[in-house]
Amino acid sequence: MREYKIAAIPGDGIGPEVIAAGLEVLAALAVRDGGFTLQVEHFPWSSDYYLQHGRYIPDGGLDRLRAFDAIFFGAVGSRSVPDHVSLWELRLAITQGFDQYANVRPARVLPGVKSPLAKGADIDWVIVRENSEGEYAGHGGRAHRGLPIETGTETAVFTRAGVERIHRFAFALARKRPRKRLTLVTKSNALRFGMVMWDEIFFEVARDYPDVGTDRELVDAVTARMVGQPQTLDVLVATNLHADILSDLAAALSGSLGIAPTANLDPERRFPSMFEPIHGSAFDIAGKGIANPIATFWTAVLMLEHLGEPAAAERLMGAIEAVTGAGVLTPDLGGVARTAQVTRAVCEQIGR
Ligand code: ATP
């Protein structure tokens, strides 16, 4: 029997609702498969925990997480804590602490889901986001606070090692997909140092992947291409900030933020990788029982693939598609189903 240790960090807002739903579906899969079990430990790290204890992650917290095979993360963000504090002290503390440098964000219009785009059916993308440096490297500062000369700097950091490893990851991923296409997203017309290096290293790495077709697009132009010619894109590699924005656009074009999954990977497997829905805490709908759990289920698919359970991953993706295709949809997708109904429908489908 294969046994996986999963650290669940539900976090804030709808995080606990969707993670509970995700764990239910994973438990159904383990029963159906019979070949693996999941040992889940919950960590209460959240904004409420922060307000009580003065920190999101207690001393030695990362060391405890290190022993797990994967981290299943809900959301972080609260009205009572500034966003830059909650994000840096919980989510980024883990992604950076465990050098999860490859953030993978697939986007596709699932059966039964309506895209705002007429050409929505053509969306089949994976956005690869550099997840460890760039604009979110945490370099910058504030000086002369409160004075007219107050200054704030935010320095984007690009290193050869960091850029090369994400481009290699993106090429290897593109090579595994049928269309084998990789688009370099850049802004090297205006940002002439780090971004020019970003482009140069991409084309150096490209020599090792002659079977992958490449092109280069400015980040502003690629937004128009995503809307107007979605069929021309396959895998996109972009910096931390650019990919952050592009993947929300991709999620919206795929129907809703409530379906978009993501994996924060340490491809070298020195540390556990972290899997989470793209959406945040969505306080407007928290506690109402209507959060769309599909993003978390699709996230679980990515986690199962990473753990080396491709059959279970495929079964779960099939169950998700059967349920959306049958019109069991939450209100964000124009349906009337509640979180629990979608979860039950997916579990039933898994059992078939
Ligand atoms: P945060 O500050 O944590 O990022 P947020 O509320 O600003 O939270 P999101 O959580 O990403 O941002 O949500 C944006 C909007 O998308 C929400 O107001 C919500 O209505 C909708 N939304 C996000 N996720 C879901 C979901 N799983 N199901 C249904 N609607 C969702």
Side-chain angles (χ1 to χ4, degrees):
M1 180 74 82
R2 302 176 299 281
E3 191 179 288
Y4 304 107
K5 289 177 69 185
I6 308 295
I9 309 179
D12 295 332
I14 61 170
E17 300 166 47
V18 294
I19 288 298
L23 290 172
E24 225 179 286
V25 162
L26 282 164
L29 271 173
V31 168
R32 177 72 174 75
D33 184 282
F36 69 91
T37 59
L38 299 169
Q39 236 188 58
V40 181
E41 185 174 335
H42 276 83
F43 291 81
W45 306 339
S46 63
S47 294
D48 282 346
Y49 183 94
Y50 170 79
L51 292 170
Q52 272 175 27
H53 299 90
R55 45 203 307 191
Y56 276 87
I57 302 181
D59 271 343
L62 277 191
D63 282 336
R64 281 179 64 201
L65 286 185
R66 204 183 287 250
F68 287 81
D69 295 302
I71 302 163
F72 199 34
F73 187 90
V76 65
S78 159
R79 293 186 179 128
S80 322
V81 184
D83 282 343
H84 66 275
V85 174
S86 57
L87 191 67
W88 273 97
E89 296 212 0
L90 184 54
R91 193 181 162 276
L92 289 173
I94 299 171
T95 57
Q96 301 226 345
F98 288 158
D99 201 17
Q100 294 163 345
Y101 66 84
N103 186 198
V104 177
R105 303 182 155 205
R108 193 151 60 74
V109 181
L110 299 179
V113 173
K114 208 171 148 7
S115 165
L117 277 188
K119 293 179 182 168
D122 291 336
I123 296 175
D124 184 6
W125 306 325
V126 180
I127 297 176
V128 174
R129 169 181 178 184
E130 200 297 312
N131 212 29
S132 65
E133 54 177 34
E135 307 86 345
Y136 299 173
H139 276 241
R142 293 273 294 272
H144 312 301
R145 279 182 194 248
L147 298 175
I149 56 163
E150 182 166 357
T151 308
T153 61
E154 200 81 56
T155 307
V157 175
F158 296 94
T159 64
R160 173 166 282 276
V163 172
E164 182 172 343
R165 67 185 183 174
I166 196 65
H167 287 331
R168 277 198 190 282
F169 178 88
F171 272 101
L173 193 149
R175 177 176 264 176
K176 287 197 215 127
R177 292 179 41 100
R179 287 186 287 156
K180 295 190 190 343
R181 290 204 56 81
L182 178 60
T183 298
L184 169 69
V185 179
T186 186
K187 193 64 196 171
S188 53
N189 55 344
L191 306 172
R192 43 193 182 138
F193 307 112
M195 290 266 68
V196 171
M197 186 178 89
W198 167 261
D199 292 6
E200 281 171 11
I201 295 173
F202 178 88
F203 290 107
E204 284 170 28
V205 173
R207 289 189 216 125
D208 293 338
Y209 298 84
D211 51 325
V212 175
T214 58
D215 63 347
R216 173 181 165 280
E217 193 77 82
L218 296 177
V219 64
D220 39 344
V222 89
T223 57
R225 190 164 149 199
M226 286 166 77
V227 172
Q229 299 160 282
Q231 74 286 0
T232 65
L233 295 163
D234 179 10
V235 181
L236 300 90
V237 64
T239 67
N240 219 329
L241 172 66
H242 293 166
D244 190 5
I245 298 165
L246 294 180
S247 46
D248 263 37
L249 174 60
L253 294 177
S254 312
S256 166
L257 259 182
I259 56 172
T262 184
N264 300 282
L265 300 178
D266 165 24
E268 281 80 39
R269 295 176 184 260
R270 299 157 296 171
F271 303 102
S273 292
M274 180 160 77
F275 301 82
E276 56 173 345
I278 281 187
H279 63 73
S281 46
F283 268 95
D284 52 330
I285 56 164
K288 294 188 176 158
I290 55 166
N292 191 344
I294 296 292
T296 305
F297 297 165
W298 194 347
T299 295
V301 171
L302 302 181
M303 186 165 80
L304 288 164
E305 283 170 355
H306 182 77
L307 290 173
E309 294 293 341
E314 209 173 304
R315 179 178 294 280
L316 177 52
M317 200 66 221
I320 293 168
E321 291 183 335
V323 167
T324 57
V328 186
L329 305 171
T330 42
D332 56 305
L333 293 174
V336 292
R338 302 178 61 77
T339 314
Q341 287 168 295
V342 178
T343 308
R344 203 174 317 123
V346 171
C347 287
E348 277 169 17
Q349 195 64 36
I350 288 166
R352 291 225 167 115

